[in-house]
Amino acid sequence: MTSRRRRWRCGRHAPRWPAAARPPAELDLLLYTSTWHQGPEGWPPQAYVQRHLVGDGVLSTQLKQGCNGMFAALELAASYLRADPGRQAALLVAADNYGTPLADRWRMLPGAVAGDAAGAVVLDTAPGFARLASVVTMSVSQAEEMHRCAEPLFPPGVTEGRTVDFAAHNDTFRRRAVTSGEGTMVLVTLDERMIEVIDRALSEAGLKAADVTRLTCMNTSQEIAEQICEHRLGIPASRSTWDFGRTIGHCGASDQVLALEHLVRGGALGPGDHLLMFAYGPGVTISAAVVEILETPAWAAARGGDA
């Protein structure tokens, strides 16, 4: 699915709207995505953002799509804006804080350390500093056990005080895959689907891998980043944002938004450049998007590259 006419504005702190941004009253949609628990159980965090920022005149809802939740938000928001010519803009927010007793940020992820962050973009029908050239998501539901198979399916772990441990789930899943031909095929399918998603995103944007200026994935270890960039995508790891990501950790669904702002604000992306964004999340879902930079935004030029 592509959104060739959509433009967006970006900022790490959603409430601090640049002067050229739309006022909250002109928004039509608020999508909030996260990977970890948000406040009191049963309470919707998007309602807090709606109350303090955008008001009651927009459709507001939460997405639970794991680490690639922002990609799902982009797809849904683009379709929502297209469905009615009167709709103008959508605010997409991602936020996570892992500083809780049931989350060990240092050990719960395979090849990554969890970081706390929030990011937001406005997807707009009016011209902005960047264009969403394509966004693609595919699923490999045969691998859904990858994020749960080290513990019972029910009752939910949080209700029994069990710590979250995706590293243990991943290890258990891969050990089973070694002893099962079917499991091995799932791992092969994951690699094939990853390449397919990237190829589709590039094709729909009218690009080849060589045309990509920079690449941002999830903030993982250098080894994993190099495997994704060079061995699977054929893009030099030097074009990735690993050097930035290693300073903040894996920030749930915010990684790619933070990297985009960092690159634009620091001058590493300018008019005519293309950023390939990639992520995968529980399910398993695999997503990619291409963003074309149209101009240097005022908020980047004014702060002189201060990231």
Side-chain angles (χ1 to χ4, degrees):
M1 175 280 219
T2 55
S3 180
R4 297 187 181 279
R5 293 184 297 169
R6 300 303 171 202
R7 308 292 190 265
W8 66 0
R9 304 182 179 94
C10 171
R12 184 175 300 175
H13 310 289
R16 299 186 181 181
W17 295 72
R22 288 189 182 277
E26 293 185 3
L27 291 171
D28 300 285
L29 178 67
L30 167 62
L31 296 179
Y32 186 100
T33 183
S34 62
T35 67
W36 190 231
H37 296 279
Q38 306 275 306
E41 200 64 27
W43 167 82
Q46 71 275 12
Y48 184 89
V49 178
Q50 185 171 20
R51 175 189 176 191
H52 291 281
L53 183 61
V54 303
D56 295 338
V58 304
L59 172 63
S60 171
T61 192
Q62 183 180 19
L63 303 178
K64 299 295 288 185
Q65 192 70 5
C67 302
N68 55 355
M70 187 59 82
F71 292 83
L74 286 170
E75 292 201 49
L76 292 173
S79 297
Y80 185 81
L81 294 177
R82 279 179 169 177
D84 185 338
R87 295 170 182 165
Q88 303 178 84
L91 174 62
L92 317 180
V93 181
D96 274 298
N97 184 337
Y98 300 103
T100 63
L102 297 184
D104 182 353
R105 69 175 72 249
W106 309 105
R107 297 179 178 85
M108 69 178 184
L109 299 172
V113 173
D116 304 329
V121 298
V122 172
L123 194 63
D124 203 321
T125 57
F129 81 90
R131 178 175 74 97
L132 179 61
S134 67
V135 55
V136 176
T137 294
M138 301 183 73
S139 300
V140 185
S141 59
Q142 304 99 305
E144 56 87 16
E145 288 185 312
M146 182 178 289
H147 293 84
R148 69 166 174 87
C149 64
E151 67 175 272
L153 186 61
F154 191 85
V158 68
T159 65
E160 295 192 327
R162 292 197 300 268
T163 58
V164 64
D165 193 344
F166 288 124
H169 296 321
N170 189 271
D171 288 344
T172 301
F173 181 84
R174 292 182 181 276
R175 282 199 304 270
R176 292 180 182 176
V178 171
T179 59
S180 167
E182 181 180 353
T184 302
M185 286 305 300
V186 171
L187 297 178
V188 173
T189 301
L190 284 169
D191 279 345
E192 293 175 344
R193 203 62 52 83
M194 181 185 303
I195 295 172
E196 184 178 356
V197 166
I198 293 292
D199 287 346
R200 278 187 54 188
L202 291 174
S203 177
E204 293 185 11
L207 301 174
K208 297 181 179 180
D211 300 320
V212 172
T213 309
R214 299 297 297 267
L215 165 70
T216 179
C217 301
M218 296 180 299
N219 297 332
T220 58
S221 67
Q222 185 174 17
E223 178 184 6
I224 294 176
E226 290 177 349
Q227 287 177 353
I228 293 175
C229 293
E230 298 184 355
H231 302 299
R232 294 176 179 172
L233 305 181
I235 297 175
S238 59
R239 293 194 213 168
S240 76
T241 55
W242 180 81
D243 282 339
F244 169 66
R246 69 189 291 268
T247 67
I248 61 175
H250 176 32
C251 302
S254 297
D255 284 358
Q256 293 75 20
V257 173
L258 299 179
L260 171 61
E261 186 202 27
H262 173 77
L263 293 171
V264 172
R265 194 181 295 279
L269 284 177
D273 289 340
H274 293 87
L275 173 68
L276 173 60
M277 306 193 301
F278 171 78
Y280 55 87
V284 169
T285 57
I286 305 170
S287 300
V290 174
V291 174
E292 178 187 6
I293 305 301
L294 303 176
E295 62 185 45
T296 299
W299 50 261
R303 297 184 63 174
D306 177 19

